[in-house]
Amino acid sequence: MLYQKEKQIAIAAVTAAAKLCQQVRQAGFDSFSKSDRTPVTLADLGSQAIVCQFLSDAFPNEPIIAEEDAQMLQQPENLELLKQITGYVQTAIPHATPEEIIAWIDRGNGKIASRYWTLDPIDGTKGFIRGDQYAIALALVEQGQVQVGVLGCPALPLNRSEGVLFVAVKDQGTAMMSLDGSNFHPLQVNQYSDPDRVQLVESVESAHSDRPRLGAVVKKLGLTRPSVQMDSQAKYGAVARGEADIYVRIPLPQDSCRRENIWDHAAGAIVVCEAGGRVTDLDGNPLDFSLGSKLEQNRGIIASNGAIHDQVLEAITACAN
Ligand code: AMP
Ligand code: MG
């Protein structure tokens, strides 16, 4: 079977990073503001260091395009923060040094190639800080197509405990398991489109999507269930495991030029597609991961159980701004 080594390394990397995030959240942490005014924590940086080290070890020449960089850790005033991150990373990689951690994080500043990895070390940092959902999202892309996706959701429940890993390989399906590897089983999306049963999942952050337009789409579709709000690509996991049927991301009118980051969607998209669902942009086009660190040719996102997808596309067109 294709991609077995890639899958195993990605699972090991995301599992180790997820454990670091759980430890940090338990111990407490500060958050910092990046130049784009989005937050970052030592867990984002530690998670990126771990995943990039695992990938570099197994695939030394392959580019990684990840969200964070090590610039702030090179400032003398952040020496204490670097030491703290080193302590956490050493629980997974005992020989790690502060210098190596900086180098591993910056391995994530690679360039798009015909084959590359993309990583969001913590997707939904706002959710991580709030104590809600977040995800570690890793994907392998070849010729613009996602081939492997591993989505770690440490705060998502499964069988009365917390911590879920979604694993998808192109043409091999999606599986879900606990973070300790137990409870492994294949996933299938729901098959229905009945508006009384269909469940919508959306972002917690109102600034991340056009809620008034989404409200009009819900009305047009005749959905009766109140929507569920969830941070991060955990929303894709919710669709893949049949907890939700539609995840829609509509850019706000004032953000119409904004394009989505590849690391915010690559792993989630394959998790939904390989579970039998469908993922497109708001115009019904497939997501094109070949163009750079942004989805330059796509506007907004629709992930669904497939059965309801065309109806969602029609409703979005009908509810245009
Ligand atoms: P979510 O929890 O699904 O809303 O997604 C979190 C992601 O939203 C982060 O990874 C950011 O890349 C992304 N994000 C940040 N600002 C915006 C924005 N103004 N519009 C859409 N997405 C955003
Ligand atoms: Mg993100």
Side-chain angles (χ1 to χ4, degrees):
M1 289 232 274
L2 291 170
Y3 300 113
Q4 289 311 291
K5 180 181 173 192
E6 289 86 345
K7 179 173 92 169
Q8 292 314 329
I9 299 292
I11 290 173
V14 171
T15 302
K19 287 185 179 152
L20 177 144
C21 296
Q22 285 175 314
Q23 288 164 4
V24 171
R25 190 139 97 166
Q26 232 173 358
F29 57 90
D30 293 324
S31 80
F32 305 87
S33 194
K34 292 193 282 189
S35 54
D36 64 358
R37 294 197 302 207
T38 62
V40 67
T41 72
L42 71 114
D44 298 67
L45 298 166
S47 168
Q48 181 157 324
I50 287 181
V51 175
C52 290
Q53 194 276 339
F54 275 62
L55 292 179
S56 298
D57 221 28
F59 308 103
N61 301 315
E62 300 192 355
I64 308 168
I65 293 97
E67 178 167 15
E68 309 302 341
D69 63 56
Q71 209 187 341
M72 72 179 276
L73 294 180
Q74 281 160 324
Q75 314 296 325
E77 67 268 26
N78 288 326
L79 200 61
E80 199 45 47
L81 183 65
L82 177 58
K83 275 193 201 156
Q84 249 184 310
I85 295 172
T86 309
Y88 280 111
V89 173
Q90 282 172 342
T91 64
I93 309 165
H95 60 76
T97 65
E99 295 73 27
E100 283 176 318
I101 284 173
I102 286 177
W104 293 334
I105 292 171
D106 278 340
R107 267 285 275 128
N109 302 328
K111 295 247 173 314
I112 299 282
S114 59
R115 171 173 157 127
Y116 71 86
W117 295 86
T118 187
L119 167 71
D120 197 340
I122 293 189
D123 181 36
T125 305
K126 289 173 185 165
F128 178 75
I129 293 167
R130 236 192 282 110
D132 291 331
Q133 291 302 324
Y134 65 101
I136 296 97
L138 176 62
L140 173 68
V141 179
E142 283 182 355
Q143 273 79 38
Q145 306 279 320
V146 188
Q147 301 294 335
V148 179
V150 175
L151 197 58
C153 302
L156 213 55
L158 179 63
N159 286 0
R160 278 178 253 113
S161 70
E162 261 187 7
V164 179
L165 211 61
F166 297 93
V167 180
V169 180
K170 182 85 172 143
D171 299 329
Q172 294 175 31
T174 296
M176 173 170 74
M177 62 182 114
S178 297
L179 272 179
D180 63 8
S182 64
N183 295 310
F184 178 97
H185 60 279
L187 287 186
Q188 191 62 44
V189 292
N190 291 324
Q191 300 294 322
Y192 48 73
S193 55
D194 172 358
D196 288 329
R197 295 179 75 188
V198 162
Q199 178 68 59
L200 175 80
V201 63
E202 61 174 336
S203 291
V204 174
E205 297 292 330
S206 58
H208 291 187
S209 200
D210 185 344
R211 288 231 171 112
R213 190 167 166 207
L214 187 55
V217 169
V218 166
K219 210 166 155 195
K220 182 91 187 157
L221 289 167
L223 306 188
T224 54
R225 292 184 171 200
S227 75
V228 169
Q229 296 188 347
M230 202 182 268
D231 295 285
S232 84
Q233 285 171 73
K235 290 188 277 299
Y236 284 103
V239 173
R241 68 179 185 170
E243 237 166 51
D245 303 284
I246 311 174
Y247 159 33
V248 183
R249 201 173 186 86
I250 307 178
L252 285 160
Q254 64 267 33
D255 283 344
S256 60
C257 293
R258 187 181 182 278
R259 291 293 177 268
E260 301 285 339
N261 300 312
I262 52 173
W263 53 78
D264 284 331
H265 299 286
I270 191 172
V271 162
V272 164
C273 291
E274 285 297 323
R278 195 173 153 198
V279 179
T280 67
D281 66 9
L282 301 186
D283 301 311
N285 299 316
L287 306 185
D288 184 346
F289 290 95
S290 70
L291 301 170
S293 63
K294 306 259 179 203
L295 296 172
E296 295 293 350
Q297 295 293 341
N298 298 111
R299 211 172 38 93
I301 304 282
I302 307 170
S304 81
N305 66 16
I308 189 92
H309 206 90
D310 286 334
Q311 287 178 57
V312 179
L313 279 168
E314 276 171 38
I316 286 185
T317 307
C319 301
N321 283 315

